[in-house]
Each structure stands twice: as structure tokens, then as C-alpha cells.
Amino acid sequence: MSVAILGPTFQDLATNVNRNISSLSLIFVGRAFGYLGGSVIGGVLFDSMNHFLLLGVSMFATTVGLYLVPFCKTAVLLIVMMSTFGVSIGILDTGGNVLILALWGDKGAPHMQALHFSFALGAFLAPLLAKLALGTTVSAENRTEADFNQSAFNQSSEADSESLFGIPDDMNLLWAYAVIGTYIFVVALFFFALFLKKSSKQEKARVSAQRFRRAEYHNALLCLLFLFFFFYVGAEVTYGSYVFSFATTHAGMKEREAAGLNSIFWGTFAACRGMAIFFATCLQPGTMIVLSNIGSLTSSLFLVLFNKSPVCLWIATSVYGASMATTFPSGVSWIEQYTTIHGKAAAFFVVGAALGEMAIPAVIGILQGKYPDLPVVLYTSLGSSIATAILFPVLYKLATLPLDRQRKEHRKSEDQKALLSSSGLNDYEEENEEDDAEKWNEMDFEVIEMNDTMRNSVIETSRNILMEPTAEVPNHSYSNVLMFESSPVNTGNSSVNYLARNQDKRD
């Protein structure tokens, strides 16, 4: 709300400092540079200070800035005030992401979506609040630019003699900023209460107990994420800022229709961020990024191809706004799955988003002025969608490359173990078979040698008996000897035949 209130009250602020809009556009530059500085400062401080205390101080400074802005009577003071205001917003933006990652880690995707949904909701409510508070007293509604420039020129001498601060001529401007400032002050009190409840020692102990992960290509991932958010946020802000002028000048829409086209972009953007809170409970952040890239690439392609068709502009703008909604919070949740994000790392890619928000709309504004007949805004959307669609697969491959290498090494080691175990079993079986064969052969030879010995001894005994006189030997003894002579030989032959048959069976 505090960021979005500047747009609908810009004309009134210019009137309050007696300047025209073109000469006061530096407040956007000052706020942007303050935001960059605040993101860096917040990233450093969040690694060494209590999160709740830093967020409370940041929101309190935002409250003071919102109270003082309507009282600024000089352009320089207003620019300085907006720069200071940007510093506190940068700290708050970085701190919100860091705090959610510190509390829930890679399980905080729904909470991250809820945080960024609050951004869209505040941006939607702030213009409504400003319109209700200001009513129809805004001077820009009844005065042309030439009349305003003449009035500012006539009052320039009076402005030089005025003090730095003063009560604004339009009290509605004061109330618009005071209401938002009071709301932020109440939220700041809750952060201070959390700080008093949880001491700094408990916070440090909890953070140190958290699981720390650092990817092998941590710095490379952060640099690619820097570029990813640079193109994404730049395209988001560019389309939201220039779609009204594009619809009126290039597509031939009436101002009311062009305002509706602008509203449907931010409306679908906010609605999809709200639904993403529930989608994040069942979908992985990487899946949501892929779906967002496909939707933004398809819709921006249709916008370029059918940029003169009002029906296509309405449908494609709705899809484009819905597709752009979940990319930033999903990207923050996705990177936390592979490497731990602390304050400095979060500040780095937040700075990338802020640079994209500054640089791309500025360049497109210059190009649109030089080439008014070309849909430069749509070309920017398509180019940024292509860039993000290419960068995310590279990010995913770089993040999962060490994991794939570990899986391959683990699978290779398992295969080697399986091969070694199978080869060892085969060797064991072959050795057993060889041992069995050797044992059988040794047994065969022993039996054969035993039978030959028995055979020779029996024959020798028979010959000795036959050489003795026959008279001394009775007839029945002789027949018994003959029977004894024949039986061992037959027995030996049968044993040899039995062993031979067994050997043939084994062969």
C-alpha cells in the first residue's frame, strides 16, 4: 500500500510542491535507488541482527516517511524523503523473504506465496483508498497540463520563499497518507512485541540449530537467479505500466477500455497469487515456475501475433497476469531447496529484481517514443518470457548436477558390488566342481589300485598252492581253492565295472 499510493497521488504531490509532473519524475528514481540501498543494507543487517527488531524499525521508519511526505513543500525535500522511504521499503522487502525462509525453510512455499499475495492486495487497495479519500478534488481531473505548467510557473517565486515543511493545501492528500501510515505503525508494534517475546539469544540458538545447505555452485545459482528476476520483474512492471498507453495508441481502445485492460492484468495477478497459497501445498515450486513460464510464453506470443485484436488482448492479458503471479515467490522457495538463503544472498537477487524494475521500463519508454508504431511493450514481454524460459532449465540443471553425479556414482558402486558378488559366487562353484572331480578321480584310482593288488595277491597265492603235491591236498580243499581263486577276481572286475559306469555317468 505504501508503495502503490504514490501513483494515484503523484499529481497532488506535484501540486503541493508547485512543480509539474515531468520535473518531479526524479522521485521515482530516488525511491528506486533508496530501495536498492535498503535491500543491500537489509541483507547485511539481517545476518547479524534480530529479524523482528529490524523489521519493526523498518516499518516504523516507513510510518514516519508516510506522515512527512504530504508536508513537504520543496521538490528536493520530497525526493530526499522518497529516497529514505525507499531504503525502509528495501529493508522490509528483503527482510520479509529472509524471515519466512528462516522460520519455515524449504517448507515455507505457501507462506511465501501469502507474503507476495499481500503485495498484490496492497497495490490493489491503495488506489481505491486514495480515490475514496481524495474524492473529486484532484486537480488533474479538471486542469490540463498547460494550465498546470502556467500555474506552477506563476507560483515558483512563492515556492522559493516557502519553508521546507507546511500544511498541504489539500487535506485529502494528508489523510490518504496518514491512514496507510497508521496501519503500518500498528503492524510495526506487533514486530516489536515479537522481539520482546523472543530474545536475541534464543533467536541465534534457533538459527544455528537449523540445517545448513550450500550448493556446489552456490554463487553461480545466485547470479543466474539475479538475471532471472531481472527479466521477470522488469517485464511485469513494464507491462503493467505501459499497457494502458499501448491499448489507447496502438490498439485503438477507448480510455475506459484501456483502464479495464490494465485492471484485469493486476486483478488476475492478485487473484492468482491468492490461489497460489493453496496450490503451493500440493505443487512443488519448480512445477509452478514451469507452468508460469509456459503460460507467460504462450500469452505473450499471442499478444505479439494478434496485437490488433481486442478479444485476444483481453484474453491474453488475463492469462499473462495470472502466469506472472507466482514466479517470484516460487523462485525464492525453489532456490531454498538446494542452498540456504541468508540475508546477503536474498539481498542479491532482490537487487536484481529492483534493477529490472528500474532499467527495463526506462529503456522501453525511450524505445516506445522512437518507434510509436511498433508494439515495443509486447516485444519486451515476449523477449523476457523467452529469457526466463531458458534460464530456469539452466538453473535446474546447475542445481541438480551434483545430485545426479552422486546418484550415478552410487549406482555405479552398487553395480560393481553386484558384479563382484556374482563373479565370486561363480568362482566358488567352479572351485567346488573341480575339487569334487579331483576327489572322484582320486577315489577311482585308489579303488582300481586296490583291486589290482588284491587280484595279484590272490593269483600268487593260487600258484603257490598249485605247486604243492596234490596228494597232500584233499579234493574238497582243492575245489574250495579254485572257488576262492575265481571269486576275488570276479569281485574285482565287478568293482572296476561299477566305478567305470559311475565315471561315465558323471562325464
Side-chain angles (χ1 to χ4, degrees):
M1 292 177 68
S2 60
V3 173
I5 193 64
L6 179 60
T9 60
F10 185 42
Q11 180 69 66
D12 301 277
L13 292 175
T15 304
N16 199 40
V17 297
N18 298 314
R19 293 291 184 92
N20 56 23
I21 294 178
S22 60
S23 64
L24 199 62
S25 59
L26 285 176
I27 64 173
F28 291 99
V29 179
R31 188 179 68 172
F33 277 105
Y35 180 85
L36 288 176
S39 299
V40 175
I41 294 172
V44 175
L45 293 180
F46 268 100
D47 289 339
S48 57
M49 285 183 61
N50 183 277
H51 294 174
F52 300 113
L53 176 61
L54 191 55
L55 285 174
V57 172
S58 174
M59 298 200 76
F60 182 75
T62 304
T63 299
V64 174
L66 287 172
Y67 281 149
L68 293 180
V69 162
F71 292 95
C72 293
K73 287 297 183 177
T74 62
V76 175
L77 180 62
L78 184 61
I79 293 173
V80 172
M81 191 62 63
M82 280 294 174
S83 301
T84 307
F85 176 74
V87 172
S88 62
I89 292 297
I91 295 175
L92 180 63
D93 197 359
T94 304
N97 293 296
V98 173
L99 181 59
I100 286 183
L101 294 178
L103 291 176
W104 290 285
D106 55 1
K107 305 297 182 182
H111 309 86
M112 188 68 69
Q113 296 289 346
L115 171 69
H116 288 267
F117 167 70
S118 70
F119 295 164
L121 182 62
F124 175 75
L125 292 177
L128 297 179
L129 177 62
K131 185 176 181 181
L132 292 175
L134 295 174
T136 59
T137 60
V138 179
S139 59
E141 295 181 359
N142 299 320
R143 299 172 65 183
T144 62
E145 183 67 22
D147 293 339
F148 180 80
N149 291 339
Q150 183 66 30
S151 174
F153 178 77
N154 293 334
Q155 297 175 359
S156 60
S157 58
E158 298 179 3
D160 294 336
S161 61
E162 288 180 355
S163 61
L164 297 178
F165 294 98
I167 299 176
D169 298 330
D170 187 359
M171 295 301 295
N172 291 325
L173 176 66
L174 174 62
W175 284 112
Y177 278 84
V179 169
I180 298 177
T182 304
Y183 168 74
I184 294 179
F185 176 72
V186 173
V187 179
L189 293 179
F190 282 102
F191 278 110
F192 287 130
L194 288 173
F195 167 69
L196 296 176
K197 183 179 179 181
K198 294 186 177 182
S199 64
S200 178
K201 294 182 179 179
Q202 292 175 347
E203 181 72 13
K204 290 182 179 180
R206 183 190 56 77
V207 172
S208 62
Q210 283 185 340
R211 182 182 175 187
F212 180 79
R213 292 186 302 269
R214 183 177 177 87
E216 183 177 351
Y217 304 103
H218 177 82
N219 294 331
L221 285 172
L222 290 181
C223 291
L224 290 176
L225 199 65
F226 178 97
L227 294 176
F228 182 85
F229 286 145
F230 176 87
F231 286 110
Y232 159 72
V233 176
E236 172 196 323
V237 175
T238 299
Y239 193 84
S241 301
Y242 290 100
V243 64
F244 180 88
S245 60
F246 164 79
T248 54
T249 58
H250 188 82
M253 287 185 174
K254 298 179 180 179
E255 290 188 0
R256 181 175 298 179
E257 294 175 345
L261 189 67
N262 197 358
S263 299
I264 200 171
F265 172 76
W266 291 114
T268 54
F269 184 88
C272 225
R273 276 199 170 175
M275 292 186 292
I277 300 173
F278 305 99
F279 293 154
T281 60
C282 57
L283 294 176
Q284 292 293 327
T287 305
M288 297 183 71
I289 293 176
V290 171
L291 294 176
S292 298
N293 286 342
I294 293 174
S296 60
L297 185 61
T298 304
S299 57
S300 60
L301 180 61
F302 273 88
L303 283 171
V304 171
L305 295 178
F306 306 100
N307 55 78
K308 296 288 187 179
S309 172
V311 177
C312 182
L313 286 176
W314 283 99
I315 298 175
T317 298
S318 303
V319 177
Y320 189 66
S323 301
M324 298 287 282
T326 63
T327 303
F328 194 94
S330 298
V332 178
S333 300
W334 176 82
I335 193 65
E336 178 68 18
Q337 294 178 336
Y338 299 96
T339 184
T340 302
I341 299 298
H342 292 302
K344 296 177 183 178
F348 184 71
F349 58 72
V350 168
V351 167
L355 287 176
E357 182 180 357
M358 290 173 54
I360 294 181
V363 173
I364 296 308
I366 297 173
L367 294 177
Q368 190 67 63
K370 290 184 177 181
Y371 307 100
D373 297 331
L374 295 178
V376 180
V377 177
L378 304 185
Y379 292 155
T380 304
S381 300
L382 180 60
S384 299
S385 299
I386 294 173
T388 54
I390 293 174
L391 282 172
F392 183 69
V394 177
L395 276 164
Y396 181 81
K397 185 63 179 178
L398 198 63
T400 57
L401 187 61
L403 300 178
D404 293 338
R405 191 185 303 123
Q406 291 177 2
R407 291 193 194 99
K408 289 181 180 179
E409 292 177 355
H410 182 66
R411 192 181 301 113
K412 184 178 179 180
S413 63
E414 287 183 348
D415 293 341
Q416 289 177 351
K417 290 179 181 179
L419 290 173
L420 290 174
S421 61
S422 61
S423 62
L425 182 61
N426 293 333
D427 295 341
Y428 178 75
E429 291 177 352
E430 291 177 359
E431 290 177 359
N432 288 340
E433 290 178 358
E434 292 177 358
D435 293 341
D436 292 341
E438 291 178 358
K439 290 179 180 179
W440 279 107
N441 291 333
E442 291 176 357
M443 290 174 64
D444 291 343
F445 286 120
E446 289 176 357
V447 172
I448 292 172
E449 290 176 356
M450 180 187 69
N451 290 332
D452 291 340
T453 304
M454 290 176 63
R455 184 177 179 182
N456 293 332
S457 63
V458 171
I459 293 174
E460 185 68 25
T461 304
S462 301
R463 286 177 181 175
N464 292 333
I465 294 173
L466 289 175
M467 289 175 65
E468 294 178 356
T470 1
E472 296 178 359
V473 182
N475 291 331
H476 65 276
S477 300
Y478 180 74
S479 62
N480 290 337
V481 170
L482 292 177
M483 290 176 61
F484 176 78
E485 178 184 357
S486 60
S487 91
V489 174
N490 292 334
T491 304
N493 289 336
S494 64
S495 300
V496 173
N497 293 334
Y498 175 75
L499 292 173
R501 283 196 302 271
N502 289 338
Q503 184 67 27
D504 292 337
K505 288 180 181 179
R506 289 198 306 273
D507 295 338

